[in-house]
Amino acid sequence: MDIKYYLTILWGNKWIIVTTLVVTLIVVTLGTLLITPIYSATSTLRVATASTGSLSSADYAYAERLMNTYTKIASSGPVLQELANKLNLQTIPEVKVSTISSTELIQILVKSPDPIIAQNAANTLAEILIEQSQKLYAGGVKSTTEILAEQLSMAESDLNQARADYEASVAKSPADTEAISKASMIADLKEKTYETLLDQYEAARVKEAIRANTITLIDPAVLPLKPSQPQLLMNITLGVIIGLVLGVGLVFLIENLNPRLYTLDQIEAVTELDVIEKIPSIKTKGFTGLFKKKVPLNRPAFKSSFQKLQTKIAQINSGGHPMKSLLFTSAVPGEGKSTIVANLAIAIGRAGQNVLLVDCDMRLPTQHKIFNLPNAQGLSTLLTHQARLMDVIKKNRNPNTWILTSGSVVPNPMELLASAQMKSVLEQLTQNFDYVLLDTPALLPVGDAMALATIVDGIVLVTRQFYCKEDDLRETHKALADLNTRIIGVVVNDVKHSRSYNYTKYKYS
C-alpha cells in the first residue's frame, strides 16, 4: 500500500479528523480560559566574583561557589519567610532563583496571580539577598577593620606620647644629646608602627567595602502587564497538533477494526465483480452528494453517468440472456441506491424504452418523495388485493417512465414480497414494460431484497465509495451469490475525482 492509499483513507474520514480537532481545540481553549492567569516578574542581581585580570582555576571555583551560595540563600526557607513577613503575604508566591550561564548575573523570578505582588516580591527578595550578603562574612565576632581600628587607636596614643616625651627631653636638657636621641628613636618607631597599622586599616576597610558591595541590583522587576501563563496561542498550537494526531490515530484505529472501501480496485476485489459505472460526487444546494434522497439531479456529469449505465445495461440485455427485471440493493442504508434507481429509470425512458420503477421498500419508502407522488396506494395495497394494477401505476412527466410507489407501510413487508402474488405481479409487469427496476431496502438490516432476488433477471449491487465497510460488502455479495442469482455488476456511488466527471465538466462548461 502506497502513500496515496493512506491519504485516501484520511480524506475519506476527514470529518473524524476535523471533529476530533475541533473538540480538542474547544477543550484546550476553554481549559486555558478557565485557568487563573499567572503574572511573572524578574529582578536581576550582579555578583562581583573576582577582580579584573587573569583568573586561576581557584578563582573560577570560588566564583561558582559564591554564585551557588547566593542562589541557595535566596530560595531558602528563612529568606522566603522574611519575604512573606515584609509584604504581609499569607501565601508565599512561587520563586525561582537561577544563574545566567557565563555571567555574574542572578535572576529572581516570582510568579503570582497578582502582578503587583509578583513585582514587589521580586524586588524585595533582591533587597533581602543584598542584606544577607553584607552579613555573610561578618559572623558574630569583630571584623578585621574593627580590630585594626582598636590597634590603630592605641598606636596613635603611643605615638603622641612618644612625641611628647621627645619634646620634653629637648626642652629639659638641650645638652643631653643621648636622652634626646633615644626619645627621637622611640618616636620614630611609634610613627612607623602607626603608619603600618594605618595602611593595614585602610586596606581592610577597602576590602570590606568591596565585599559589602559584592552583590548589587542592576535590573529591578517591573510591573507585568500581561500574564505569562497560560499562553493561549501556544496552547492552541499544541491543541492543533494533538487534535490532528488523535484524529489520524482514531481514523486508522477505526479502519483497522473494520476498514472502509476507498478505491475501485478494493471494491472489485471484495465483490469479485466488475464496476459497471461510477457515479460522481456532486454537491447540490442544500444537499451534499447523491446519497441525499430528494429529487433526481440533472447536472451534465451526473446525467452522463446514467446514460452510460443505461447503455451498458442495454448491451448486456442484447446478449443471450436478456434482463427485463433488475433489482437494486446495497449492503447498508445510506449508499444512494434509491436516487441511482430513479435517475437510471429516467435515463432508460429518455432512451426510448418503457420503464417501470417499483419501490419495494415498504418500511422506509423513498420514490414517492423523489417524484413527488402520493403514496396512499401502491405495491402494498396491490399485494393485499386492495387495489388494481392499473390504479397504482403512475405515469411520470419524464418520457416513457412509470412509477409504482410502495404504498402504505405494512407490518409484514417480507411476507408480501416473498408471496406468489408478488411473483405474478412481476411477471405481468415484465410483459408490459421493457424494463422493471426494483428499488429494495439494504440487504443486511432486513431480508426484503433476499425475498425478491430469486425472481428477478438480474441484480445490481450499489455501494458508496468512502462509506461501505469491507465486511458488510463481502457479506452482502456472499448472501446473493449463495442464492445463485445473477449479479451483473457493481455501481459505485459518490466517486471522488472521477476522470469521466472531469471531462464532462470541462465539456459542458
Side-chain angles (χ1 to χ4, degrees):
M1 296 183 182
D2 55 12
I3 188 65
K4 184 178 180 182
Y5 170 75
Y6 292 109
L7 291 176
T8 303
I9 291 179
L10 294 177
W11 178 254
N13 294 277
K14 57 183 178 295
W15 291 115
I16 295 179
I17 299 175
V18 171
T19 302
T20 305
L21 176 60
V22 170
V23 171
T24 304
L25 286 177
I26 291 174
V27 172
V28 169
T29 303
L30 290 178
T32 301
L33 295 176
L34 292 175
I35 293 175
T36 302
I38 301 297
Y39 294 85
S40 299
T42 304
S43 60
T44 304
L45 299 165
R46 179 182 181 272
V47 178
T49 58
S51 59
T52 58
S54 60
L55 301 177
S56 64
S57 59
D59 293 330
Y60 281 114
Y62 168 75
E64 184 178 358
R65 287 199 309 272
L66 187 60
M67 297 286 283
N68 290 335
T69 299
Y70 283 126
T71 301
K72 295 297 183 182
I73 291 174
S75 56
S76 63
V79 170
L80 294 179
Q81 187 59 50
E82 184 179 352
L83 170 68
N85 294 337
K86 283 191 172 185
L87 298 180
N88 296 321
L89 300 178
Q90 298 296 325
T91 303
I92 299 175
E94 180 183 350
V95 176
K96 180 179 180 183
V97 184
S98 60
T99 60
I100 301 177
S101 179
S102 302
T103 69
E104 295 180 331
L105 302 180
I106 293 178
Q107 281 190 333
I108 300 175
L109 173 65
V110 179
K111 295 182 179 180
S112 172
D114 189 334
I116 298 178
I117 290 179
Q119 179 193 22
N120 292 339
N123 289 329
T124 303
L125 191 56
E127 294 172 0
I128 295 173
L129 190 59
I130 292 173
E131 294 173 0
Q132 290 289 328
S133 72
Q134 295 172 351
K135 301 176 183 178
L136 184 61
Y137 297 99
V141 297
K142 292 181 180 181
S143 66
T144 303
T145 304
E146 292 173 338
I147 295 173
L148 288 173
E150 292 177 356
Q151 293 177 353
L152 186 61
S153 177
M154 294 174 60
E156 184 180 9
S157 177
D158 291 344
L159 176 60
N160 291 335
Q161 184 62 45
R163 287 176 177 174
D165 291 343
Y166 170 75
E167 292 175 356
S169 297
V170 172
K172 182 178 180 181
S173 305
D176 191 356
T177 56
E178 183 179 353
I180 292 173
S181 177
K182 184 179 179 180
S184 176
M185 185 182 298
I186 293 174
D188 289 341
L189 289 174
K190 295 296 184 180
E191 185 175 1
K192 288 181 179 179
T193 300
Y194 176 79
E195 290 177 351
T196 300
L197 288 173
L198 181 60
D199 290 340
Q200 291 178 355
Y201 173 78
E202 289 296 333
R205 188 175 63 81
V206 171
K207 187 175 182 179
E208 288 187 6
I210 293 174
R211 181 174 292 173
N213 294 291
T214 296
I215 181 167
T216 54
L217 178 62
I218 65 170
D219 188 11
V222 297
L223 182 67
L225 301 178
K226 294 181 180 180
S228 59
Q229 60 186 75
Q231 299 181 14
L232 181 60
L233 182 59
M234 184 183 71
N235 289 351
I236 289 178
T237 302
L238 292 176
V240 170
I241 296 173
I242 294 173
L244 290 175
V245 171
L246 290 177
V248 171
L250 184 60
V251 165
F252 284 110
L253 176 62
I254 294 173
E255 289 303 316
N256 187 56
L257 295 176
N258 193 0
R260 299 180 187 272
L261 300 174
Y262 294 94
T263 67
L264 301 183
D265 291 338
Q266 287 179 306
I267 294 172
E268 290 183 339
V270 169
T271 61
E272 299 179 354
L273 297 170
D274 293 333
V275 173
I276 59 177
E277 188 52 49
K278 305 181 290 291
I279 310 300
S281 174
I282 296 181
K283 295 182 179 180
T284 62
K285 185 177 181 181
F287 311 98
T288 303
L290 308 183
F291 51 92
K292 299 297 183 182
K293 304 168 183 177
K294 194 66 177 176
V295 294
L297 303 178
N298 291 316
R299 296 286 184 89
F302 191 65
K303 183 177 178 181
S304 174
S305 297
F306 288 101
Q307 289 173 343
K308 289 189 292 183
L309 178 58
Q310 177 269 326
T311 301
K312 290 181 181 179
I313 291 177
Q315 290 173 347
I316 295 174
N317 229 4
S318 63
H321 301 282
M323 294 178 297
K324 302 190 68 176
S325 58
L326 291 175
L327 181 147
F328 287 76
T329 190
S330 61
V332 293
E335 303 202 62
K337 163 183 53 62
S338 296
T339 304
I340 287 176
V341 178
N343 281 273
L344 177 61
I346 294 173
I348 292 175
R350 289 176 176 173
Q353 296 174 304
N354 294 326
V355 58
L356 172 66
L357 171 56
V358 182
D359 191 349
C360 298
D361 190 344
M362 290 183 281
R363 302 173 189 269
L364 295 172
T366 303
Q367 296 300 334
H368 69 285
K369 299 178 182 177
I370 292 178
F371 290 96
N372 195 24
L373 295 171
N375 196 34
Q377 291 187 330
L379 182 61
S380 61
T381 54
L382 177 64
L383 296 179
T384 54
H385 306 285
Q386 300 178 38
R388 297 178 302 172
L389 184 59
M390 65 182 66
D391 297 328
V392 294
I393 295 179
K394 304 174 180 66
K395 179 69 172 67
N396 183 252
R397 60 183 179 83
N398 292 285
N400 308 311
T401 306
W402 282 262
I403 310 297
L404 175 53
T405 61
S406 67
S408 57
V409 177
V410 293
N412 58 339
M414 187 172 178
E415 295 179 9
L416 294 178
L417 295 176
S419 65
Q421 175 69 7
M422 179 64 199
K423 184 176 181 180
S424 175
V425 168
L426 184 59
E427 291 175 352
Q428 185 177 355
L429 294 176
T430 54
Q431 293 175 3
N432 293 280
F433 293 92
D434 297 318
Y435 287 97
V436 178
L437 308 182
L438 279 65
D439 179 17
T440 65
L443 187 140
L444 293 182
V446 293
D448 297 7
M450 299 284 288
L452 295 170
T454 56
I455 63 173
V456 295
D457 298 328
I459 297 174
V460 176
L461 189 57
V462 177
T463 189
R464 178 179 152 205
Q465 192 181 21
F466 298 93
Y467 182 81
C468 187
K469 296 180 179 179
E470 180 179 336
D471 292 346
D472 293 339
L473 188 58
R474 179 176 282 111
E475 183 181 350
T476 299
H477 174 257
K478 184 179 183 303
L480 294 173
D482 289 344
L483 296 176
N484 294 320
T485 56
R486 185 181 178 186
I487 308 175
I488 66 173
V490 181
V491 173
V492 182
N493 190 19
D494 203 20
V495 175
K496 309 295 189 296
H497 307 298
S498 170
R499 291 182 179 179
S500 61
Y501 165 69
N502 291 335
Y503 171 76
T504 308
K505 180 178 180 182
Y506 166 77
K507 178 179 178 182
Y508 281 89
S509 65

